[in-house]
Amino acid sequence: MPLSPSQRLSQPEFIGLIAMLFAMVAFSIDAILPALPDIAAEISPDAPNRAQLILTSFVFGMGLGTLVTGPLSDRFGRKPVILCGAALYILGAAVAWQASTLNEMLAARVVQGLGVAGPRVVALAIIRDIYEGRRMAQIMSYAMMIFTLVPAIAPFMGAIIIDAFGWRMIFAAFILFCLIATTWLALRQPETLPPERRQPFAPRTLARATLECFSHRIFTLSTLTQALTFGMLFGTLSSIHPLFDDTFGRGESFPAWFALIAVIGGSASILNARLVIALGMRRMILFGLGGLTCLSAIVALTGLIATIPFPLFMLWATAIFFMVGLVIGNLNALAMEPLGHIAGLAASVIGASSTVLGVALAIPLGLAFNGTPVPLAIGLSLLSFTGFLLIRLGLR
């Protein structure tokens, strides 16, 4: 039986808890951005560009974990899977804290990513266990409003920690953040999936569901386009601090500039919520990808001919994050349309496959950094145009 109203947390507390669980992902990525130059200087001095892999290795692990954490929570319950994932996350953070080589750091970050997949995926299942329909959408909207603040403040927090204690203490902050969130969950949130509603974990069922998902053209094209979008996002995150620091000499003010980008980019979700009913998901996706294609091409051509001015770079960087806000939710909705009967498994499949493929695209984008935005701009113009064609021609 679902939780009765008397067993539920108050709505403000529940929203705060869910937002905290979601925020573990953003905090683990954005807080470490100011530390990348220091990490590169200490454990990868011969190849400083490779320090960007600290971001993509984390996302890669998260993508792999996303495939199984949803089904595991259907079998063992929501809280045990989140708490086990948190333990794995803390283990990865502790190893990264002590890492003396880049390879050790990358392996530890993959483990961290595997662990964070639990809170990332299962928190959605907890919401669905308690709420449905418009009520669920309302809870999600409130939680995401709080969540969008994390990318804005995480670099500030990271910079403060680095200045006071050094870059290694960033990983202690990750452990503390995780402990606060999961202790709150363990002490306050009742289990939302009783034993009588649990389902066996069957790898064969997962394989069949994956094949069924990709048998639908709309799912396949939406997943591929989401992978392209994630590739652009993760590639940008890998390069954005070096661009502010090395290219434009604004490393010290990077947290403030990134906060501005995050706040404006986060407003795209609000705009999408207002327009998608009237215009439809496909048009919103085409608008986001088409606009980014044009702007990325302008930045690339400008960089090949002359020096890219900082205002143009800021406009472009903000447009990248704004595009993600317009596109990702609509791509998920398109992909899930024909798969309501296996929605949980389908969500795991699209999340895992698009994230892993996105990381594969982001790694060469990040490593191509040459001190200018040109390689990234060329890559983004090609990826966004490819996504535009997939949706424009593939989903007529």
Side-chain angles (χ1 to χ4, degrees):
M1 293 289 293
L3 294 181
S4 66
S6 62
Q7 294 175 302
R8 299 175 186 175
L9 296 181
S10 67
Q11 183 169 303
E13 183 180 359
F14 182 72
I15 291 168
L17 173 60
I18 294 298
M20 190 85 167
L21 294 172
F22 285 162
M24 284 178 61
V25 176
F27 187 63
S28 301
I29 294 173
D30 297 327
I32 206 171
L33 293 175
L36 291 180
D38 294 338
I39 297 174
E42 183 170 334
I43 66 175
S44 184
D46 297 331
N49 249 12
R50 294 191 68 223
Q52 298 176 4
L53 298 176
I54 292 170
L55 301 178
T56 48
S57 60
F58 173 82
V59 178
F60 177 76
M62 182 177 66
L64 293 179
T66 297
L67 184 62
V68 297
T69 48
L72 284 174
S73 75
D74 288 340
R75 170 63 181 87
F76 297 106
R78 310 306 189 200
K79 289 177 66 174
V81 172
I82 290 180
L83 296 176
C84 288
L88 198 60
Y89 175 91
I90 290 171
L91 173 64
V95 173
W97 188 357
Q98 303 296 324
S100 57
T101 68
L102 183 60
N103 287 337
E104 288 179 20
M105 174 70 74
L106 298 182
R109 288 288 279 175
V110 170
V111 173
Q112 254 195 295
L114 286 168
V116 86
R120 179 201 184 196
V121 173
V122 182
L124 290 172
I126 289 176
I127 300 174
R128 181 60 187 87
D129 289 340
I130 302 174
Y131 299 100
E132 61 182 347
R134 295 182 182 182
R135 191 68 165 163
M136 179 182 176
Q138 183 187 50
I139 296 294
M140 279 293 299
S141 296
Y142 287 139
M144 293 308 293
M145 284 174 61
I146 300 172
F147 168 78
T148 55
L149 298 176
V150 175
I153 64 174
F156 276 112
M157 297 173 65
I160 292 170
I161 293 168
I162 295 162
D163 290 342
F165 305 106
W167 66 264
R168 291 185 183 274
M169 286 300 291
I170 289 287
F171 295 97
F174 292 160
I175 293 172
L176 179 61
F177 193 99
C178 178
L179 286 173
I180 292 172
T182 51
T183 301
W184 186 1
L185 172 85
L187 296 179
R188 295 288 297 155
Q189 176 60 53
E191 173 59 56
T192 59
L193 188 69
E196 62 271 16
R197 291 175 52 204
R198 296 177 186 178
Q199 303 292 327
F201 179 77
R204 187 175 299 176
T205 301
L206 184 59
R208 281 201 304 267
T210 302
L211 290 175
E212 180 180 351
C213 288
F214 285 104
S215 70
H216 293 276
R217 179 185 184 87
I218 191 171
F219 181 93
T220 302
L221 293 177
S222 298
T223 301
L224 288 174
T225 305
Q226 187 165 160
L228 295 170
T229 305
F230 279 150
M232 291 185 276
L233 174 63
F234 301 146
T236 301
L237 286 170
S238 296
S239 301
I240 195 162
H241 189 274
L243 285 169
F244 272 92
D245 192 7
D246 301 341
T247 307
F248 296 101
R250 299 173 188 261
E252 291 187 3
S253 57
F254 166 73
W257 290 113
F258 191 79
L260 178 62
I261 291 171
V263 169
I264 297 174
S267 68
S269 298
I270 300 173
L271 179 65
N272 183 71
R274 290 180 175 272
L275 296 181
V276 71
I277 300 299
L279 299 179
M281 295 175 288
R282 184 169 170 272
R283 285 185 181 178
M284 297 302 295
I285 294 168
L286 292 175
F287 174 76
L289 293 173
L292 186 62
T293 299
C294 296
L295 191 52
S296 297
I298 290 171
V299 172
L301 290 172
T302 302
L304 292 172
I305 297 170
T307 300
I308 297 172
F310 183 70
L312 176 59
F313 168 75
M314 272 296 295
L315 174 64
W316 174 58
T318 304
I320 295 168
F321 289 86
F322 195 85
M323 177 277 298
V324 172
L326 287 182
V327 167
I328 291 294
N330 291 319
L331 286 171
N332 274 309
L334 277 178
M336 298 291 288
E337 274 189 326
L339 296 164
H341 58 294
I342 52 168
L345 287 174
S348 288
V349 171
I350 190 173
S353 54
S354 61
T355 301
V356 172
L357 287 173
V359 168
L361 294 169
I363 289 174
L365 272 181
L367 294 178
F369 176 69
N370 65 353
T372 76
V374 172
L376 183 64
I378 293 173
L380 263 61
S381 62
L382 294 174
L383 292 179
S384 56
F385 184 61
T386 302
F388 180 88
L389 291 179
L390 285 175
I391 300 301
R392 177 72 177 83
L393 302 179
L395 298 179
R396 287 180 179 272

